[in-house]
Amino acid sequence: MDLTSPVTELPKIGPIFEKKFEKLGIVTLENLFYHVPTRYLDYSLITTISKLHPDETATIHAKIVSLKNIYSKRGLKMQIGSVEDSTGKITVLWFNQPFLVKTLYPGRLVSLSGKIGFFGRKLCLTSPDYELMVEEDDPTTHTGRIVPIYPETAGLSSKWIRRKIKEAYVNSAITEFLPQNILDKFKLIDFKKAIKFVHFPESFEEAETGRRRLAFNELLSLELRSQIRKLNWKKNKVANKITIDRKLIESFIKSISFDLTNSQKKVIGEILENLKSEIPMNRLLEGDVGSGKTVVAAVAAFAAFTNGYQTVIMAPTQILASQHYKTFKALFSKFSVRISLITSDIKRRDLGRNDIFIGTHSLINGKIGFDTMSGTSKVGLVVIDEQHRFGVEQRKHLIKKSGTPHVLTMTATPIPRTVALAAYGDMDLSVLTDMPPGRLKVTTWVIPEQKRNGAYDWIRSQVSDLKSQAFIVCPLIEDSDAETLADVKSVTSEFINLQSIFSNLRLGLLHGRLKPSEKDKVLEDFKKGRIDILVTTPVVEVGIDIPNASVMVIEAAERFGLAQLHQLRGRVGRGRSKSYCLLFSNFHSGRAYTRLKAMEKTHSGFELSELDLKLRGPGEIFGTAQSGFPELKIAGWNNYELIKDAKNAAEEIIEDPVKFKVFKSKIKEDISN
Ligand code: ADP
Ligand code: MG
């Protein structure tokens, strides 16, 4: 057997266990070896009965003297008895494992690991892990060493997994695949040794060094894959080549009502550099909420326009698409740019001649052709806004449909640079590091339940006395990207509840299940000041711009990721008045509370997302796996040093055809784009 062998080649693995393994993501022996423990139990102290102390965790090798099932007064089934070695005798006790008396009968030699406690006034081993032995010095797997505890699933216990890993380890050929100079340079231990150290460590240091090597492998393979994707992408040539007329572009930039920030200028420079190349751009533009990504995209679209090419802009929600439509209309009002908003209810096939298409994923819809007149794509640029809200497939689809365009992907999820480079290694990265001038910090408070009524009074006075407007955001009930009917129900009943609390104010209701026209109406009313308080699901999270709103209230705030809270908070503080964010939560301590408290102190999206990476892991920040943010099993996204090492190693390997050959065969997954 080797790493590629299916787990079914291990003894006693039939279809049932194969299925169970699959549940844990384990198909091959390699997967099995990468199934790393979540923690270890330190059973390495092997001692004798006379030396046992209360409260210590230890292992003894002893013979069963007696063991029987008894019932406690409360009907609990206990297995109680005693064991002895040459130094003495001790009581043993288990709960609810009546079958044990059949295995552990008098005279049986066992290795027992567990914590020493009391039974009455006598020392006792309670619920120890046990392992049968034939000889006194038999090697043990589940006791008498540092014992790994694995992620489990129904029917696959750690004990069982441990045994299978041992069988796999003993019976398979594991060879090093990294060249020695890379091992030396990045201080990595041998691969086979790493597997041994992770699953059969003799010390916690061993477990740690083993784990580091496996984590490195994981990151390296991720890096290699994205670098190969990048190389493949670069083999393409754009269908519609753009030439940059600096003067024209300058004239457009001059027409904008504000001056660009330095980082907007820098990023525009990077984009124009890509646009004039025959190699299609594949760039990720990262910028905190409100950093001004839209206008950067507009400059790029203008460059395409001056060459007679179209730009397609995809936004995750109808609301945001309509807003972009208005923004672009205004930005291009002095130029004869034809812009059209594609809505999901559009029926027509032929959209006529247009320069900019703005829409949601309905743009992908087969019925919509960007230019049916000429038959060939006139699309020069595709812009994907809030990319983390789209699935990988949706993005690919739009790009493919547009021919071979330049692609600008934008996100307000402020991922630390190292992470962005690793996770989206196939894209070039631009970051908007500074904010437009004059932005005020949004004062943020975490509000415990008992202060709710006071908070409502305060909101009421903000809205009526200061003529300000407020958002009240209710979380989605289930963890799902789309709103369910249950979510609509719950936000609707909260809306009714709030109507009686704020009876003298005008309330509006917004959720994802409204028709596009209804959503537009509600938002328009809110924007025009005809609604005082907008009660909504997190659909407002992305992009919405209501300058007069100065209060953001978030219900059950602990259910959101920090990056998402930051996004929501970014909906206020856009106008001139002092703005506030109120986070309601029932949590008064612990991790959830710490996270929320960070919102009070920190106003940088980058810092918050770093914190969330540490506290909650990437899944929570970046949404579901389908958004394409890679999931790591072993390495952590906050392990910047190792991420950088893996990236450097990948670059070294890619540059060397001999080294690279070894890997090409290893990376079998689809790396085409
Ligand atoms: P985001 O990066 O979150 O998409 P937007 O592009 O929506 O941000 O910009 C947020 C607001 O800031 C908009 O009202 C926009 O007009 C304004 N804005 C963008 N750039 C500047 C700038 N350089 N100076 C002043 N205001 C700006
Ligand atoms: Mg935006």
Side-chain angles (χ1 to χ4, degrees):
M1 291 190 287
D2 61 25
L3 294 178
T4 60
S5 309
V7 279
T8 46
E9 283 184 22
L10 290 169
K12 293 188 207 151
I13 307 278
I16 292 173
F17 279 113
E18 185 184 9
K19 276 248 158 60
K20 290 184 177 173
F21 258 142
E22 258 180 55
K23 263 201 184 146
L24 293 172
I26 299 169
V27 178
T28 62
L29 293 194
E30 178 164 27
N31 301 149
L32 185 60
F33 292 135
Y34 279 89
H35 191 66
V36 296
T38 41
R39 63 194 173 95
Y40 296 90
L41 295 174
D42 190 354
Y43 285 164
S44 56
L45 174 69
I46 302 176
T47 185
T48 50
I49 292 176
S50 66
K51 290 193 185 134
L52 292 175
H53 297 289
D55 273 346
E56 83 182 341
T57 299
T59 298
I60 51 168
H61 296 169
K63 273 206 172 93
I64 305 285
V65 177
S66 65
L67 189 68
K68 60 174 190 281
N69 281 319
I70 59 165
Y71 292 87
S72 79
K73 284 185 202 110
R74 282 189 237 118
L76 206 62
K77 213 173 220 184
M78 298 192 289
Q79 294 70 50
I80 190 157
S82 63
V83 299
E84 67 178 359
D85 67 8
S86 58
T87 69
K89 219 163 141 182
I90 185 169
T91 306
V92 285
L93 173 67
W94 283 274
F95 298 96
N96 277 327
Q97 300 188 56
F99 54 88
L100 274 186
V101 300
K102 291 211 181 89
T103 327
L104 304 181
Y105 48 80
R108 266 265 154 116
L109 182 64
V110 286
S111 174
L112 297 171
S113 292
K115 200 165 176 185
I116 316 301
F118 285 97
F119 185 74
R121 297 174 59 189
K122 281 190 290 185
L123 283 188
C124 171
L125 254 173
T126 309
S127 303
D129 282 308
Y130 68 92
E131 184 167 7
L132 297 176
M133 302 178 85
V134 180
E135 301 281 345
E136 183 64 48
D137 49 3
D138 275 351
T140 53
T141 308
H142 313 295
T143 57
R145 64 177 186 113
I146 294 176
V147 175
I149 305 294
Y150 294 99
E152 301 175 348
T153 184
L156 293 194
S157 65
S158 279
K159 193 165 185 173
W160 192 88
I161 294 169
R162 233 174 265 146
R163 207 177 302 131
K164 292 299 149 191
I165 290 181
K166 191 166 188 179
E167 286 167 5
Y169 181 77
V170 173
N171 295 311
S172 58
I174 304 167
T175 47
E176 181 55 71
F177 57 94
L178 281 178
Q180 191 60 42
N181 72 322
I182 297 238
L183 295 180
D184 294 343
K185 187 165 173 185
F186 299 102
K187 300 198 172 57
L188 300 163
I189 60 163
D190 175 78
F191 181 38
K192 181 161 185 178
K193 209 173 186 177
I195 292 175
K196 180 161 186 278
F197 280 7
V198 164
H199 299 288
F200 314 97
E202 286 185 10
S203 66
F204 285 96
E205 291 75 48
E206 276 194 7
E208 195 41 51
T209 40
R211 199 184 166 92
R212 179 172 178 274
R213 171 62 207 270
L214 296 191
F216 183 90
N217 288 1
E218 183 179 37
L219 291 166
L220 181 68
S221 126
L222 185 79
E223 285 286 352
L224 283 169
R225 247 179 248 132
S226 47
Q227 305 221 6
I228 292 168
R229 244 187 265 132
K230 192 170 190 165
L231 288 176
N232 285 346
W233 177 277
K234 286 191 168 157
K235 286 184 199 144
N236 292 321
K237 283 209 171 115
V238 287
N240 300 318
K241 196 167 175 322
I242 289 173
T243 48
I244 301 293
D245 184 335
R246 297 259 166 203
K247 269 203 180 130
L248 259 175
I249 290 184
E250 270 312 314
S251 73
F252 170 59
I253 291 177
K254 281 220 178 71
S255 77
I256 301 170
S257 63
F258 44 76
D259 292 332
L260 296 179
T261 63
N262 285 335
S263 58
Q264 280 170 327
K265 284 183 202 155
K266 176 163 175 273
V267 167
I268 287 170
E270 290 163 354
I271 291 172
L272 295 182
E273 212 44 49
N274 283 148
L275 289 183
K276 65 183 192 198
S277 162
E278 256 183 330
I279 300 168
M281 166 165 77
N282 188 20
R283 186 170 283 280
L284 177 67
L285 170 56
E286 219 190 305
D288 211 336
V289 192
S291 58
K293 294 182 288 295
T294 318
V295 66
V296 171
V299 175
F302 187 77
F305 163 73
T306 57
N307 283 262
Y309 298 131
Q310 298 169 324
T311 295
V312 176
I313 300 173
M314 182 162 74
T317 61
Q318 192 60 46
I319 296 170
L320 194 54
S322 322
Q323 189 178 291
H324 278 336
Y325 175 71
K326 283 172 203 152
T327 307
F328 274 71
K329 275 273 193 202
L331 280 170
F332 291 120
S333 59
K334 297 195 187 74
F335 302 83
S336 51
V337 183
R338 293 160 298 185
I339 307 172
S340 85
L341 178 66
I342 313 294
T343 57
S344 51
D345 20 340
I346 205 150
K347 299 277 173 338
R348 276 180 309 153
R349 236 187 128 72
D350 181 7
L351 296 165
R353 287 292 294 127
N354 253 304
D355 300 307
I356 297 178
F357 295 96
I358 299 175
T360 59
H361 52 273
S362 56
L363 288 165
I364 302 168
N365 188 327
K367 280 192 222 149
I368 294 164
F370 300 129
D371 189 358
T372 47
M373 313 284 269
S374 63
T376 56
S377 172
K378 280 270 181 194
V379 178
L381 172 68
V382 164
V383 178
I384 297 167
D385 195 15
E386 307 293 350
Q387 66 96 28
H388 63 286
R389 302 285 301 253
F390 292 103
V392 182
E393 290 308 314
Q394 288 176 311
R395 286 182 252 157
K396 270 192 198 167
H397 199 120
L398 181 67
I399 294 166
K400 205 166 164 201
K401 178 173 173 180
S402 310
T404 314
H406 291 290
V407 180
L408 177 63
T409 306
M410 310 202 288
T411 180
T413 307
I415 315 161
R417 192 175 186 92
T418 312
V419 174
L421 284 173
Y424 302 117
D426 53 335
M427 293 192 255
D428 294 323
L429 181 66
S430 287
V431 184
L432 289 176
T433 46
D434 49 10
M435 289 294 237
R439 289 281 153 82
L440 299 168
K441 271 187 189 156
V442 179
T443 300
T444 304
W445 296 309
V446 180
I447 302 197
E449 201 48 46
Q450 65 267 27
K451 294 202 179 153
R452 178 179 286 275
N453 289 333
Y456 282 154
D457 292 341
W458 181 86
I459 295 166
R460 199 175 292 114
S461 72
Q462 283 284 314
V463 173
S464 14
D465 305 348
L466 301 176
K467 298 281 167 283
S468 167
Q469 289 167 286
F471 291 96
I472 298 184
V473 179
C474 304
L476 295 186
I477 298 166
E478 277 151 53
D479 286 332
S480 127
D481 276 350
E483 287 181 29
T484 59
L485 278 174
D487 294 319
V488 173
K489 252 194 180 153
S490 104
V491 73
T492 309
S493 75
E494 183 60 15
F495 171 69
I496 293 165
N497 173 36
L498 288 167
Q499 270 182 324
S500 64
I501 291 170
F502 299 107
S503 53
N504 57 337
L505 299 174
R506 296 160 301 171
L507 269 62
L509 174 64
L510 182 67
H511 57 72
R513 296 260 173 145
L514 293 177
K515 287 200 199 94
S517 58
E518 292 170 329
K519 281 186 209 164
D520 282 347
K521 167 113 183 32
V522 174
L523 275 173
E524 198 57 28
D525 284 350
F526 193 46
K527 210 166 190 158
K528 292 261 159 72
R530 295 191 285 257
I531 289 174
D532 300 311
I533 298 179
L534 185 65
V535 182
T536 170
T537 58
V539 291
V540 294
E541 174 202 339
V542 284
I544 297 183
D545 201 25
I546 313 275
N548 189 49
S550 69
V551 179
M552 167 59 67
V553 181
I554 301 168
E555 289 289 343
E558 73 281 349
R559 305 206 40 191
F560 294 88
L562 291 183
Q564 210 188 350
L565 289 175
H566 181 66
Q567 280 263 3
L568 286 166
R569 178 168 67 180
R571 298 304 109 222
V572 296
R574 304 187 145 233
R576 231 150 265 175
S577 46
K578 171 103 199 75
S579 294
Y580 302 88
C581 176
L582 278 56
L583 305 171
F584 280 117
S585 175
N586 278 329
F587 286 77
H588 309 301
S589 62
R591 230 155 57 153
Y593 183 71
T594 311
R595 287 177 54 246
L596 291 181
K597 280 307 243 191
M599 293 291 298
E600 291 184 351
K601 286 186 225 90
T602 312
H603 294 265
S604 144
F606 283 94
E607 273 175 43
L608 288 170
S609 82
E610 264 192 89
L611 195 67
D612 238 5
L613 271 178
K614 272 192 212 128
L615 294 176
R616 300 219 300 183
E620 314 265 358
I621 307 179
F622 310 114
T624 55
Q626 63 131 14
S627 75
F629 195 90
E631 264 183 70
L632 295 176
K633 263 190 94 169
I634 307 174
W637 281 117
N638 52 2
N639 201 341
Y640 301 149
E641 288 310 311
L642 200 64
I643 293 174
K644 279 184 203 154
D645 281 358
K647 184 180 167 62
N648 291 336
E651 276 162 8
E652 209 166 292
I653 288 165
I654 293 250
E655 276 160 23
D656 183 336
V658 184
K659 285 180 196 160
F660 189 37
K661 231 178 129 188
V662 185
F663 286 95
K664 270 205 173 139
S665 57
K666 269 188 73 75
I667 302 171
K668 288 172 300 261
E669 273 161 73
D670 177 25
I671 42 167
S672 63
N673 212 323

